[in-house]
């Protein structure tokens, strides 16, 4: 998170945002798989595929949207700069 909220904006900012959000969903997906079991496997896998496609695809820039509307206003003020 600290690498994403630094004052300098490098070209790898988009990838850092993608992996930051992706990491949360990777952990969440493991938890949901354990809780729901086999009942929601296909639906959950399709949802994750769509989500990661939305996060990564350059036209939608989902990772940048999450950064602009969630990370910067809510998480960045809680973290001290390096």
């Amino acid at each position: 998170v600290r690498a994403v909220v630094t004052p300098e904006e490098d070209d790898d900012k988009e990838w850092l945002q993608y992996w930051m959000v992706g990491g949360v969903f990777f952990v969440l997906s493991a938890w949901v798989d354990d809780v729901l079991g086999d009942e929601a496997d296909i639906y959950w896998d399709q949802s994750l595929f769509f989500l990661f496609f939305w996060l990564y695809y350059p036209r939608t820039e989902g990772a940048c949207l999450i950064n602009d509307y969630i990370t910067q206003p809510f998480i960045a003020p809680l973290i001290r700069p390096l």
Side-chain angles (χ1 to χ4, degrees):
V1 174
R2 288 182 184 210
V4 176
V5 296
T6 56
E8 301 84 24
E9 294 185 16
D10 296 325
D11 59 342
D12 54 8
K13 180 179 177 182
E14 184 177 339
W15 280 107
L16 289 170
Q17 294 165 353
Y18 170 79
W19 284 110
M20 183 175 68
V21 173
V24 170
F25 286 111
F26 282 134
V27 171
L28 180 66
S29 69
W31 181 78
V32 168
D33 284 344
D34 289 343
V35 171
L36 297 179
D38 293 333
E39 292 86 29
D41 261 351
I42 294 172
Y43 173 73
W44 184 247
D45 291 341
Q46 290 173 348
S47 299
L48 283 177
F49 174 77
F50 173 75
L51 176 72
F52 285 114
F53 181 77
W54 176 75
L55 286 173
Y56 173 70
Y57 193 59
R59 287 190 182 189
T60 59
E61 294 183 341
C64 293
L65 290 174
I66 289 179
N67 180 58
D68 293 342
Y69 292 106
I70 296 174
T71 305
Q72 290 298 330
F74 299 111
I75 298 175
L78 303 175
I79 298 174
R80 292 181 301 157
L82 295 176

